[in-house]
Amino acid sequence: MIVTKYEGNKTFSVSEEEAMAPLAGEVQIKVAYCGICGTDVHIYHGMMDQRVAMPQTIGHEMSGEISALGEGVSYLKIGDKVVVRPLDNRGELPSDKGISHICKNLKFIGIDSPGAMQQYWNVPAFTIHKLQESTDLKLAALIEPLAVACHDVRLSGLTAGETAVVLGGGPIGMLVAFVAKSQGAQVIISEVNPVRINMAKSWGFDVVSPVETDLVAYVDGKTEGRLADVVFEVAGVQPALDVMTEVAGIRGRIVMVAIHGQPKPVSLFKFFWKELKLIGARVYEPEDYETAIDLITKNELPFAELITDVQPLSKIQNAFEQNDLNPNGMKVMLDCQS
Amino acid sequence: MIVTKYEGNKTFSVSEEEAMAPLAGEVQIKVAYCGICGTDVHIYHGMMDQRVAMPQTIGHEMSGEISALGEGVSYLKIGDKVVVRPLDNRGELPSDKGISHICKNLKFIGIDSPGAMQQYWNVPAFTIHKLQESTDLKLAALIEPLAVACHDVRLSGLTAGETAVVLGGGPIGMLVAFVAKSQGAQVIISEVNPVRINMAKSWGFDVVSPVETDLVAYVDGKTEGRLADVVFEVAGVQPALDVMTEVAGIRGRIVMVAIHGQPKPVSLFKFFWKELKLIGARVYEPEDYETAIDLITKNELPFAELITDVQPLSKIQNAFEQNDLNPNGMKVMLDCQS
């Protein structure tokens, strides 16, 4: 089987190896597709070399079919279409208070242990979510990032009729916008890239370029002064942090989706003055996976258009290099059987 | 009657004026006591001169008795012991979504209109909360700041058995600690002033000086690694902002009580990583007043010891000057009938 490994220094190796039989409690998956996540790009750029044990197979936004069952796995069968929720919480402690998905000793499969960018992948059976027979496996590789979006929206407490402002229209921002809209919210996306702006408009979204339009005045006008009920900070840049507390209305909730590596200036006064809430949101819980699976199964949203490129697994080096050169692209996927 | 007015430039005037009859919908209160709030000190220091229309009578942490009723006020009677919830929300808009206590056009009585540092005070009747006949009016002047604390604790969602860390043991921090403890929480106070540390210890609190002890390690040890369920940021300084995201455990809630005038660096990464919540809390709602009144009426907590000085209203200038010179003091009150 084809196995790819991140070797450090912006380099992937591609080799032919023998597929290993799954251990007890594991399943072997014939991987269909694996998306390139922002985290994978971070790893490729060497920004997580202290965490990733090189050489390492990475990747976690995947879909596939069960190809072998380890001892004791009876509720799955060969040929089942599946996705993996790549969270290994076996090191959970009482001090985690049962909040398994972000427990202190959480291992993220595909970062802290081998990932899906290979033809066959062995994972603990408890990570599996089963799909319906009819599910499109290319779309199914969007379930993992879509589950992130479902988690973000769920933790925001968004209700139908509320106004959600999404700061940043990259893949996660777009998925958050889709989920928020699917739950009946009025969605406004703030994005600077003209290609992404047009993409979002083509999907029926209200999009503002904050460089050209005063976002706060725009949202104020669209909401009769109520401003945003929920703000999703998905941009990861200081101007987004500056505007998030302005564009949120009284008792607005701001969901922190972006990863800000360093402490950044935040207007705590606005939190006090308008009784805002900041809600940290990380990965997902099983119910978010089920919501995402449901959305992909129904396939009523233009998910397919989010996939802007598919490359063969054997061309992983080229795929990451091309991805860096194309800031307009949304989701690049690897076809793991070619 | 004695009327005091802030004249700017750290100066109060004291004059004798005719008491005015209350207008329709108003009541006249014979003010018993009025505490000096941090906001009053800010005004005295000239930091709110742009907002305060000088000369202005300030003060809002008060207690008193109804001395006259304006036309149409039938549910109160002369002699009733009362406190005022000094929020004038008559400019409320639909865009405030019914969140009256922090509505956009809120006027704070005692800052934006005349306050309680005078012998007789006319206020709209809708601001009144009635006290029981037996209530001690000196303690009752603590109801306003205590209502702030009740609001902070209520918005935190604190439940019995949880661990609350209070950053800053000034008057509001101490009241937050009392309220949290009264609701069954394990409370740890972080404070640097040795006099305040001893005061808090004398009231049975677990107190840490973060200069001498590693607060995070201390709370970790006290909670078997769970860390704080709720953190109250009442200190208003950068070290508190640095530690709040460290001392909060997984899905911990951080209540922003302090007023940070400028944007300050915050570890948004910790919000993401531990799914923390930041909750802005400002003033109070009617139910917080009722909770505070109940605590003062029961008088089971050492509230009296929080009042470290009482000065006659006519000596207001001296009271503010002495207050500045005594960083160890807690609550200084004016006796408004002398």
Side-chain angles (χ1 to χ4, degrees):
Chain A
M1 68 164 182
I2 299 169
V3 176
T4 74
K5 288 187 182 121
Y6 169 65
E7 302 276 346
N9 197 26
K10 286 195 173 184
T11 307
F12 286 95
S13 64
V14 180
S15 59
E16 191 67 34
E17 293 185 13
E18 197 73 33
M20 289 202 327
L23 302 176
E26 288 188 342
V27 296
Q28 184 192 68
I29 300 169
K30 183 183 175 186
V31 183
Y33 294 92
C34 185
I36 296 178
C37 172
T39 304
D40 299 322
V41 174
H42 265 60
I43 292 171
Y44 168 67
H45 285 164
M47 294 168 82
M48 295 171 73
D49 282 1
Q50 296 219 318
R51 179 168 168 193
V52 177
M54 293 167 276
Q56 179 70 288
T57 302
I58 66 169
H60 58 272
E61 295 187 358
M62 56 68 68
S63 63
E65 289 179 22
I66 300 282
S67 50
L69 298 170
E71 197 187 315
V73 182
S74 55
Y75 56 96
L76 294 164
K77 63 178 195 300
I78 290 170
D80 280 349
K81 287 183 174 180
V82 296
V83 290
V84 167
R85 183 164 36 82
L87 305 182
D88 180 353
N89 65 322
R90 287 176 287 187
E92 201 172 339
L93 303 169
S95 56
D96 295 313
K97 303 185 282 192
I99 305 166
S100 311
H101 73 295
I102 54 167
C103 66
K104 196 172 179 180
N105 294 325
L106 182 76
K107 287 188 180 171
F108 194 94
I109 303 171
I111 300 175
D112 303 310
S113 59
M117 292 181 177
Q118 51 185 334
Q119 266 187 300
Y120 292 87
W121 187 33
N122 293 353
V123 292
F126 68 80
T127 67
I128 297 293
H129 285 259
K130 258 182 83 168
L131 307 177
Q132 290 188 16
E133 194 58 41
S134 61
T135 309
D136 178 329
L137 285 179
K138 199 188 285 181
L139 292 186
L142 290 172
I143 287 169
E144 194 272 353
L146 186 57
V148 169
C150 292
H151 187 66
D152 297 338
V153 173
R154 182 166 63 84
L155 292 199
S156 78
L158 187 72
T159 56
E162 287 194 317
T163 299
V165 170
V166 180
L167 302 174
I172 293 290
M174 293 290 193
L175 290 173
V176 166
F178 277 129
V179 174
K181 199 172 180 179
S182 77
Q183 296 187 6
Q186 174 186 16
V187 177
I188 298 167
I189 297 175
S190 172
E191 169 60 44
V192 292
N193 178 319
V195 176
R196 290 185 167 177
I197 289 173
N198 284 335
M199 221 180 266
K201 282 185 176 167
S202 77
W203 296 327
F205 285 113
D206 192 355
V207 195
V208 171
S209 168
V211 180
E212 287 164 19
T213 305
D214 181 330
L215 178 66
V216 177
Y218 184 83
V219 176
D220 189 86
K222 287 276 180 170
T223 57
E224 294 173 321
R226 287 193 320 281
L227 293 169
D229 298 297
V230 175
V231 180
F232 295 95
E233 203 306 73
V234 200
V237 295
Q238 186 64 45
L241 298 180
D242 296 341
V243 85
M244 70 184 188
T245 48
E246 299 294 328
V247 79
I250 188 169
R251 279 203 176 159
R253 295 96 73 194
I254 301 171
V255 183
M256 187 49 57
V257 181
I259 300 177
H260 292 269
Q262 298 300 318
K264 301 268 184 71
V266 172
S267 174
L268 298 167
F269 182 80
K270 289 284 179 186
F271 275 90
F272 159 79
W273 193 252
K274 295 194 279 190
E275 293 198 338
L276 304 178
K277 259 191 198 151
L278 182 71
I279 301 168
R282 180 174 157 218
V283 295
Y284 24 65
E285 293 171 87
E287 68 189 283
D288 303 311
Y289 250 67
E290 291 304 323
T291 308
I293 289 169
D294 194 46
L295 285 168
I296 291 290
T297 305
K298 283 183 184 151
N299 197 14
E300 292 166 352
L301 294 164
F303 292 123
E305 296 175 38
L306 277 167
I307 304 167
T308 48
D309 195 15
V310 181
Q311 297 275 335
L313 177 64
S314 59
K315 297 278 189 281
I316 184 172
Q317 184 72 34
N318 182 57
F320 274 79
E321 286 170 6
Q322 289 303 310
N323 186 54
D324 270 6
L325 294 171
N326 182 15
N328 295 335
M330 292 296 281
K331 184 54 69 185
V332 178
M333 279 191 188
L334 298 170
D335 175 346
C336 292
Q337 293 302 317
S338 65
Chain B
M1 67 165 185
I2 300 170
V3 177
T4 74
K5 288 189 182 120
Y6 169 65
E7 303 276 346
N9 197 26
K10 287 194 172 184
T11 308
F12 285 94
S13 63
V14 180
S15 58
E16 191 68 35
E17 293 186 13
E18 197 74 34
M20 292 203 323
L23 302 177
E26 288 188 342
V27 296
Q28 184 193 67
I29 299 169
K30 182 182 174 187
V31 184
Y33 293 92
C34 185
I36 296 178
C37 172
T39 303
D40 299 321
V41 174
H42 264 61
I43 293 171
Y44 168 67
H45 286 166
M47 294 167 81
M48 294 170 73
D49 281 0
Q50 297 221 318
R51 180 170 169 192
V52 177
M54 293 168 276
Q56 178 71 287
T57 301
I58 66 170
H60 57 273
E61 296 187 357
M62 56 66 70
S63 62
E65 289 179 22
I66 301 281
S67 49
L69 298 170
E71 196 188 315
V73 182
S74 55
Y75 54 97
L76 293 165
K77 63 178 196 301
I78 290 171
D80 280 348
K81 288 184 174 179
V82 296
V83 290
V84 168
R85 184 164 36 82
L87 305 182
D88 180 351
N89 66 322
R90 286 176 288 187
E92 202 172 339
L93 302 168
S95 57
D96 294 315
K97 303 184 285 193
I99 305 165
S100 312
H101 73 295
I102 53 169
C103 67
K104 196 173 178 179
N105 294 327
L106 182 75
K107 287 189 182 170
F108 194 95
I109 303 171
I111 300 175
D112 304 311
S113 60
M117 291 180 177
Q118 50 185 334
Q119 266 186 301
Y120 291 88
W121 187 33
N122 293 352
V123 293
F126 67 79
T127 66
I128 297 293
H129 285 259
K130 257 182 83 168
L131 307 177
Q132 290 187 17
E133 194 57 44
S134 60
T135 309
D136 178 330
L137 285 179
K138 198 189 285 180
L139 291 186
L142 290 173
I143 287 169
E144 195 271 354
L146 185 57
V148 169
C150 291
H151 187 66
D152 298 336
V153 172
R154 182 166 63 84
L155 293 198
S156 79
L158 187 72
T159 57
E162 287 194 316
T163 299
V165 170
V166 180
L167 302 174
I172 293 289
M174 293 291 192
L175 290 172
V176 166
F178 277 130
V179 174
K181 199 172 180 179
S182 78
Q183 297 187 6
Q186 174 186 16
V187 177
I188 298 167
I189 297 175
S190 172
E191 170 58 46
V192 291
N193 177 320
V195 176
R196 290 184 167 179
I197 289 173
N198 284 335
M199 220 180 264
K201 282 185 176 168
S202 77
W203 296 327
F205 284 115
D206 192 355
V207 195
V208 172
S209 167
V211 179
E212 287 165 17
T213 304
D214 181 330
L215 178 67
V216 177
Y218 184 84
V219 175
D220 189 86
K222 287 276 180 172
T223 57
E224 294 174 320
R226 289 193 319 281
L227 292 169
D229 298 297
V230 175
V231 180
F232 296 95
E233 204 305 74
V234 199
V237 294
Q238 186 63 45
L241 299 179
D242 296 339
V243 85
M244 70 185 188
T245 48
E246 300 293 329
V247 79
I250 187 169
R251 280 201 175 161
R253 294 97 73 194
I254 301 171
V255 183
M256 188 49 57
V257 181
I259 300 177
H260 292 269
Q262 298 301 318
K264 301 267 184 71
V266 172
S267 174
L268 298 167
F269 182 79
K270 289 285 179 185
F271 276 91
F272 160 78
W273 194 252
K274 295 194 278 190
E275 293 197 339
L276 304 178
K277 260 190 199 151
L278 183 71
I279 301 167
R282 181 176 155 216
V283 293
Y284 25 65
E285 293 169 89
E287 67 188 285
D288 304 311
Y289 250 67
E290 291 304 324
T291 308
I293 289 169
D294 194 46
L295 285 168
I296 290 290
T297 307
K298 281 186 185 150
N299 196 15
E300 293 167 351
L301 293 164
F303 292 124
E305 296 176 37
L306 277 167
I307 304 166
T308 47
D309 195 16
V310 181
Q311 297 275 335
L313 177 64
S314 57
K315 297 279 188 284
I316 184 171
Q317 184 72 33
N318 182 57
F320 274 80
E321 286 172 6
Q322 289 304 310
N323 186 54
D324 270 6
L325 294 172
N326 181 14
N328 296 336
M330 293 296 282
K331 183 54 68 186
V332 178
M333 279 191 188
L334 298 170
D335 175 346
C336 292
Q337 294 303 318
S338 64

